Amino acid sequence: MAQTSPGDRRQWESSYPDGIEWSTPLDTRPVHVRLIESCARTPSATALDFLGYKMSYRSLGRQVENLAASLQQQFGVKKGTRVALLLPNTPFYPVAYFAVLMAGGTVVNCNPLYTVPELEHIVGDAGAELLITIDLKQVFPKAEALLEHGTVKSAIVCEFATALPLVKRLMFSAFRRDDLADVDAATTADKLTKLSTLMGQNNKPAPVEIDPLEDIAVQQYTGGTTGTPKGAMLSHANISANMSQLELWGDGLFAPSAKVVAVLPFFHIFAMTVCMNLPLITGCQVIMLPRFELAPFAKLLRRTRPNILPAVPTLIAAIARAKGIGADELQSIEVAISGGAPLSHEVRDEYAKKSSTLLAEGYGLTEASPVVCCAALRNPSKPMSIGLPIPGTDVRFADIDSGEIVEPGADGELQVRGPQVMSGYFGDEEATGETLKDGWLRTGDVGHMDEDGYVFLVDRIKDLIICSGFNVYPRTIEEALAEHEAVEEVTVIGVPDSYRGEAPVAYVKVREGHSPKESELKSYLSDKLNKVEMPREIIFKEELPKTLIGKLSKKELRAEHAEMRDRTREQA
């Protein structure tokens, strides 16, 4: 039977684990309201653990309310005000995130690894007036540049050392002060306010009436085939619904006694929902690291004994191959949830040799807040499937050429409908119309559904490369390389990478009279691209393949690279 409409047949319902119903009503109330309720239910429980510093739910709720009041009273944040967050994983992130929502504002998550031009586009496009950042040297200079260029009017600076336990704070002050920026000496000091001065005021925010269906909680930037980031507008209802869907799907996994590892960055949509929002509204403990490093991560596992590990394939691969992480470190983990990029056979097998942990793969995208499908979190699913559509979510597959809905088993473009799907792209009606058709979100991903409702992905329509869970756009790399005087033509493809899921590879035709080395071009790109965008390799060719109308073609290069990989495997 063709998937002519979701009501005709939701074959995935029959494959749901016992006790989970597709049609269960979902809580779509404002995100911060649910957080404050959680704080009231278990005030003395630990909400956040950061390098041994612990914050209770009572303290979390008070800090959120305090900052929300300051945002309203001192910075004029009201309904619709965009506030950009430029922070690593620290207790400051959830405090700032929920405070912005409580004040009525809209969060604009920013990746601290982005270059200043990338941040200027996102923050400028969103129209953010205020930035919340941190005094670490790796981050603060970018915030200062945004202020100097007039991209934002003012910034709140969180002081990293204040988030550490007392002993670590003293050691950091004594031996690691070089890691901190001198905020007081900044050229934009008159536009800066330290968070510590705001948190001591103990004010209460004015209540803001939120329409969950209409008011935007998060403007999350993503991109398309052009590589230009677009702001996906996610309402309170979108995000709240996705939290409810995942809580149902977990079937009690996200209980107040649970401990969730948050090594994935909160600015990423997957981590925002699975590592921060969901566990905090259900009363779990969120255990954070500011970045992934093997030794601190292994120490965290031994110290805290968490039971839920959200991860991207890169992290799963690192765990599987790490000599310092074994069965003892992983024994407390009940389930590892992999998302953000496809999980390869190789990584699955390597992880299984080290741990009997249930490894569940999920699928989502920014425009769906993000989770659409997920393997069962209590029992194994079909191998290599991204699982089943989660409660309240409809999916279908449409023929790429005709748009007709295809039969189960036939490949087509995955399309999604559900309460977690965005309202549209900020200021881009054309892109919104292309992506949202009759209430269905066109994902650009190609795959199929089997007779039991399990979803399998096989390819992507777009040229988008997903590297370590982050979107990498070939055009960004191509344009940066094309500026080099020795480069005549360039094209970039994504290739399978056992560690990062995918990696960019650049093919270059050199101008006559030049003979650059690969290391020279990579050095040239170092301040133009972030680390995730840096090509894994740069291959020089006398000619690059073109279509009949002279457009550079990627198809032949993908085939050539695949053939090269096959030969390498045979030789090995």
Side-chain angles (χ1 to χ4, degrees):
M1 178 179 176
Q3 295 162 271
T4 52
S5 82
D8 291 335
R9 185 185 181 195
R10 294 187 179 103
Q11 60 262 45
W12 55 86
E13 287 188 81
S14 61
S15 298
Y16 269 20
D18 292 342
I20 300 177
E21 300 291 336
W22 183 91
S23 58
T24 301
L26 302 174
D27 189 342
T28 59
R29 291 176 299 151
V31 179
H32 58 279
V33 169
R34 299 182 67 183
L35 181 278
I36 294 301
E37 286 184 355
S38 179
C39 293
R41 281 197 303 270
T42 55
S44 60
T46 298
L48 306 173
D49 180 318
F50 180 69
L51 303 177
Y53 166 80
K54 295 183 179 182
M55 181 185 292
S56 69
Y57 271 94
R58 178 185 292 108
S59 179
L60 174 61
R62 286 175 177 171
Q63 290 197 32
V64 168
E65 290 181 337
N66 196 358
L67 181 55
S70 294
L71 292 176
Q72 290 176 334
Q73 297 165 15
Q74 294 184 227
F75 296 92
V77 174
K78 55 185 182 299
K79 186 183 287 191
T81 301
R82 266 58 177 174
V83 180
L85 305 187
L86 187 65
L87 294 163
N89 283 15
T90 58
F92 306 122
Y93 211 115
V95 170
Y97 176 92
F98 288 105
V100 170
L101 301 184
M102 181 175 287
T106 296
V107 169
V108 180
N109 289 314
C110 297
N111 183 346
L113 294 177
Y114 276 173
T115 63
V116 171
E118 288 174 316
L119 292 170
E120 284 183 327
H121 170 78
I122 290 171
V123 175
D125 181 78
E129 301 174 9
L130 175 66
L131 178 71
I132 302 179
T133 189
I134 197 164
D135 61 354
L136 292 173
K137 273 187 179 177
Q138 292 178 319
V139 181
F140 182 75
K142 297 178 182 181
E144 190 172 18
L146 295 177
L147 287 166
E148 289 175 343
H149 300 168
T151 310
V152 291
K153 296 178 181 178
S154 55
I156 296 171
V157 184
C158 307
E159 296 154 281
F160 178 77
T162 64
L164 298 173
L166 180 59
V167 174
K168 288 185 178 180
R169 186 183 311 173
L170 295 173
M171 292 180 65
F172 189 91
S173 298
F175 303 109
R176 299 287 299 276
R177 291 199 62 82
D178 287 347
D179 292 341
L180 299 178
D182 188 349
V183 175
D184 294 330
T187 58
T188 56
D190 59 323
K191 301 176 182 178
L192 302 173
T193 303
K194 291 183 180 179
L195 179 68
S196 57
T197 65
L198 300 176
M199 299 307 286
Q201 298 176 12
N202 294 317
N203 294 324
K204 289 289 184 181
V208 180
E209 187 173 341
I210 297 293
D211 182 340
L213 291 172
E214 297 295 330
D215 292 331
I216 305 304
V218 175
Q219 191 161 307
Q220 187 80 10
Y221 276 79
T222 182
T225 55
T226 63
T228 302
K230 300 186 292 292
M233 295 186 291
L234 304 176
S235 69
H236 282 264
N238 291 152
I239 295 172
S240 193
N242 208 224
M243 295 189 302
S244 299
Q245 291 167 316
L246 293 173
E247 183 180 7
L248 284 170
W249 194 243
D251 193 21
L253 179 67
F254 291 90
S257 58
K259 296 180 179 181
V260 181
V261 177
V263 66
L264 300 181
F266 292 143
F267 58 75
H268 191 285
I269 189 73
F270 176 38
M272 183 194 83
T273 295
V274 182
C275 298
M276 184 173 70
N277 284 345
L278 173 59
L280 290 179
I281 64 103
T282 56
C284 302
Q285 184 177 149
V286 176
I287 304 164
M288 295 171 284
L289 274 181
R291 61 180 179 273
F292 175 71
E293 292 178 311
L294 195 58
F297 180 71
K299 184 178 180 180
L300 177 147
L301 294 177
R302 290 190 292 269
R303 178 178 67 83
T304 64
R305 296 300 180 186
N307 62 312
I308 303 172
L309 173 61
V312 292
T314 303
L315 178 57
I316 298 294
I319 293 170
R321 297 165 189 170
K323 293 182 179 179
I325 298 178
D328 179 63
E329 284 75 17
L330 297 172
Q331 66 176 347
S332 64
I333 302 293
E334 293 180 49
V335 59
I337 307 170
S338 180
L343 188 63
S344 68
H345 276 293
E346 180 183 2
V347 172
R348 284 177 181 270
D349 292 343
E350 286 182 305
Y351 186 81
K353 291 175 184 176
K354 181 170 283 189
S355 173
S356 58
T357 297
L358 178 66
L359 181 53
E361 185 171 7
Y363 165 82
L365 62 166
T366 299
E367 292 86 345
S369 304
V371 184
V372 170
C373 297
C374 191
L377 299 179
R378 293 294 197 179
N379 49 273
S381 293
K382 290 191 177 183
M384 302 311 296
S385 164
I386 58 170
L388 303 163
I390 59 175
T393 304
D394 283 311
V395 304
R396 67 184 187 184
F397 289 87
D399 184 88
I400 296 171
D401 297 318
S402 68
E404 295 292 324
I405 307 304
V406 301
E407 300 281 344
D411 285 341
E413 181 189 24
L414 172 60
Q415 300 181 354
V416 180
R417 185 170 70 181
Q420 72 270 49
V421 173
M422 68 170 184
S423 57
Y425 294 117
F426 179 71
D428 198 334
E429 293 183 6
E430 182 179 354
T432 299
E434 292 173 354
T435 304
L436 295 175
K437 298 282 189 180
D438 301 321
W440 289 89
L441 171 65
R442 298 182 59 185
T443 67
D445 290 302
V446 180
H448 62 270
M449 178 181 289
D450 70 11
E451 287 289 347
D452 297 319
Y454 283 87
V455 178
F456 298 81
L457 295 184
V458 297
D459 205 349
R460 280 188 295 278
I461 297 174
K462 313 171 196 175
D463 287 332
L464 176 68
I465 302 167
I466 301 181
C467 182
S468 298
F470 295 100
N471 291 352
V472 173
Y473 307 104
R475 183 174 172 181
T476 301
I477 305 171
E478 290 163 357
E479 289 178 347
L481 267 172
E483 293 177 1
H484 192 283
E485 61 180 6
V487 175
E488 181 173 328
E489 292 178 341
V490 56
T491 191
V492 173
I493 64 170
V495 302
D497 185 282
S498 61
Y499 182 66
R500 296 191 285 174
E502 278 191 314
V505 170
Y507 287 84
V508 168
K509 179 184 177 182
V510 177
R511 292 183 187 277
E512 188 175 350
H514 293 268
S515 54
K517 295 181 179 179
E518 181 182 19
S519 58
E520 176 187 339
L521 293 184
K522 285 189 174 181
S523 177
Y524 173 78
L525 293 173
S526 62
D527 63 348
K528 295 177 173 56
L529 303 175
N530 61 56
K531 292 179 180 179
V532 178
E533 293 170 329
M534 183 64 68
R536 188 180 73 182
E537 56 184 324
I538 298 175
I539 300 172
F540 298 98
K541 295 180 70 70
E542 292 185 4
E543 293 292 337
L544 297 182
K546 296 182 177 65
T547 64
L548 292 175
I549 61 172
K551 182 179 178 181
L552 288 170
S553 177
K554 301 177 188 286
K555 181 175 64 175
E556 293 84 352
L557 295 174
R558 291 192 181 104
E560 177 182 307
H561 203 280
E563 185 179 340
M564 181 181 69
R565 291 197 307 273
D566 291 339
R567 285 200 306 268
T568 303
R569 290 194 193 100
E570 291 172 2
Q571 292 170 359

